[in-house]
Amino acid sequence: MTDNITIVTAFFDIGRGNLPAMIRGRILPPHQHRSTETYFEFFKNLAKIKNDMVIYTTKEHAERIRNIRIMEGLGDRTNVMILPSYLPLDMTETRDNIQKVMEDETFWKSVDNPHLIEYWNSDYVLINILKSLYVTHAINSEVIKTDLAAWIDFGYVRTIETLPKSLEWKYPFDKDKMHMFNMREIEPERPISDIIKTGDVYTQGCHIVGGVSVWPTFMQLMIYNMNMLIQNNMIDDDQTMMLMSYLSKPELFELRYNSPDDWFRIFKDYNNA
């Protein structure tokens, strides 16, 4: 098994620094407000890691991102991929369909916390669902040279203590599997509609690891399950669709338990460097 891992991440400004204070009569939680500068402060920590890194962004932020990695001496291990926006052109209609579901009173009144961003902001939902698309695009673009690729959120490293002392990340994940990190036991018989209603999280979307040969299949599962939810007048963020993907094709995945008390332990708990 190989243990070298290419990190893929992305930053697209979808306006989280300018969210309304209240939605549907309830105060939006503080953690859902996040400015561009906050994202970049967190990324300065992630940028220290010595792995190959592929970062998707718009032209506006590309030079800043590249320079942060250069300042760490890692410019030669960095590919900044510039896109006009986070949204593939052929998914504009999908975004509109997600928004229609979110604005349907029948839907949002069926969930316990309809003020949370995953129930009213289609950009937030779709950009998270597209994590697997960015990784697959990097694979198809041949900028990934390792057998393993990981999605790590741009703002994942809130504090420097999250990083390993070696500033390297190596672990022999099975390259024939997708590796997801669950924070509660999977309940296969529980209806997805009930999970969306309560907002319970089973699999963590901030870190996902897989072999380059299986990421495209994972992407297809994510897109399929998104469309299934839309057709049934439901929507949620990527973490519920990750669970649906696992349930529909469990043989593709390896689940690894990660405590809900600290989501950001992957570099320490799974590291041989």
Side-chain angles (χ1 to χ4, degrees):
M1 293 184 184
T2 182
D3 61 358
N4 289 315
I5 307 165
T6 298
I7 292 172
V8 182
T9 190
F11 177 74
F12 295 97
D13 187 357
I14 60 168
R16 284 191 67 176
N18 300 294
L19 298 181
M22 297 186 70
I23 289 288
R24 294 167 179 160
R26 301 192 196 180
I27 297 173
L28 203 64
H31 74 271
Q32 298 206 326
H33 298 268
R34 193 172 302 160
S35 70
T36 295
E37 290 308 310
T38 298
Y39 273 108
F40 271 91
E41 286 304 309
F42 292 158
F43 178 68
K44 287 177 184 177
N45 295 327
L46 177 63
K48 296 179 184 298
I49 203 158
K50 297 176 182 178
N51 294 58
D52 290 350
M53 192 175 292
V54 183
I55 307 113
Y56 284 83
T57 192
T58 53
K59 184 177 180 181
E60 174 187 4
H61 300 291
E63 184 176 0
R64 183 179 184 184
I65 289 171
R66 188 179 289 110
N67 285 341
I68 290 171
R69 286 282 282 178
I70 289 171
M71 288 178 65
E72 298 295 338
L74 298 168
D76 61 339
R77 304 200 69 171
T78 305
N79 278 286
V80 178
M81 308 289 277
I82 299 175
L83 299 178
S85 81
Y86 85 88
L87 187 64
L89 294 177
D90 61 349
M91 296 192 75
T92 303
E93 184 177 353
T94 299
R95 179 191 177 278
D96 293 341
N97 289 337
I98 290 173
Q99 195 63 45
K100 287 178 184 176
V101 172
M102 291 177 159
E103 292 172 1
D104 188 325
E105 193 170 341
T106 304
F107 167 70
W108 64 261
K109 283 194 171 181
S110 72
V111 299
D112 293 345
N113 295 290
H115 63 304
L116 299 184
I117 194 169
E118 57 264 39
Y119 300 120
W120 60 267
N121 190 311
S122 56
D123 289 321
Y124 173 82
V125 165
L126 194 49
I127 199 171
N128 279 291
I129 293 168
L130 294 179
K131 292 171 182 178
S132 58
L133 184 145
Y134 299 134
V135 178
T136 300
H137 182 274
I139 293 166
N140 292 338
S141 299
E142 300 183 348
V143 295
I144 294 179
K145 308 302 181 184
T146 54
D147 291 332
L148 292 167
W151 172 271
I152 302 291
D153 280 356
F154 193 80
Y156 185 83
V157 185
R158 313 294 174 82
T159 67
I160 204 70
E161 288 73 26
T162 300
L163 296 173
K165 291 181 180 179
S166 65
L167 295 180
E168 290 185 274
W169 183 31
K170 294 182 178 180
Y171 193 80
F173 293 102
D174 186 342
K175 66 183 179 64
D176 296 319
K177 299 282 187 178
M178 290 298 305
H179 303 267
M180 295 198 305
F181 300 82
N182 60 303
M183 56 190 283
R184 60 191 298 162
E185 290 297 319
I186 306 299
E187 300 173 276
E189 304 305 318
R190 186 180 179 191
I192 295 298
S193 59
D194 188 56
I195 294 170
I196 293 174
K197 176 184 185 298
T198 61
D200 288 339
V201 176
Y202 288 80
T203 56
Q204 298 168 330
C206 52
H207 45 218
I208 314 165
V209 184
V212 295
S213 65
V214 292
W215 269 99
T217 302
F218 178 53
M219 178 192 71
Q220 292 167 3
L221 288 171
M222 290 291 287
I223 299 298
Y224 174 81
N225 286 307
M226 173 190 68
N227 288 327
M228 286 295 293
L229 286 183
I230 293 170
Q231 289 172 23
N232 286 278
N233 203 46
M234 294 186 289
I235 198 62
D236 203 348
D237 62 18
D238 57 316
Q239 293 165 152
T240 292
M241 272 157 267
M242 289 168 64
L243 172 64
M244 293 171 68
S245 297
Y246 168 77
L247 292 172
S248 65
K249 198 175 177 66
E251 67 274 15
L252 182 70
F253 297 90
E254 188 169 310
L255 293 180
R256 297 167 180 270
Y257 179 75
N258 190 50
S259 171
D261 296 332
D262 183 359
W263 287 43
F264 309 107
R265 295 194 53 83
I266 190 171
F267 295 138
K268 291 187 175 180
D269 289 352
Y270 300 94
N271 198 349
N272 289 345

